[in-house]
Amino acid sequence: MVLLVIDFMLIAWSVYGVGMAGWADSYESDGVAPSNASRAAAQALWLLGGGAVLTGGGLLVLGWRIPGIVQSVVLGGGAVLVSSLAAG
């Protein structure tokens, strides 16, 4: 249960970071420089995707199937959410 709370906090922090970078980009969008939102989304995608593989896989290796699957699904879903924010 504690890991689930930490997962949701990490996802919320990532969404906030990408949102703030996108908001800041709207004020300095000149079309030449790459956007900070896409860089923040890529970092969050690696963080959440890596967390899904490491923690979910670790729990599965330990034999905790349901927590491992939930961990992988929640963090993997968060990674998809963050990457879709930067794309759209």
Side-chain angles (χ1 to χ4, degrees):
M1 190 65 173
V2 173
L3 284 176
L4 195 60
V5 171
I6 293 171
D7 292 345
F8 285 128
M9 288 174 52
L10 186 61
I11 292 168
W13 174 77
S14 298
V15 169
Y16 175 76
V18 171
M20 289 302 290
W23 176 73
D25 283 345
S26 69
Y27 284 105
E28 49 185 57
S29 63
D30 56 2
V32 177
S35 70
N36 291 328
S38 63
R39 268 187 260 142
Q43 289 175 348
L45 179 67
W46 278 103
L47 178 73
L48 293 172
V53 170
L54 289 177
T55 58
L59 289 171
L60 288 173
V61 166
L62 289 174
W64 295 2
R65 289 186 181 172
I66 294 175
I69 292 170
V70 168
Q71 188 78 3
S72 297
V73 168
V74 168
L75 284 176
V80 169
L81 171 73
V82 170
S83 66
S84 69
L85 283 175

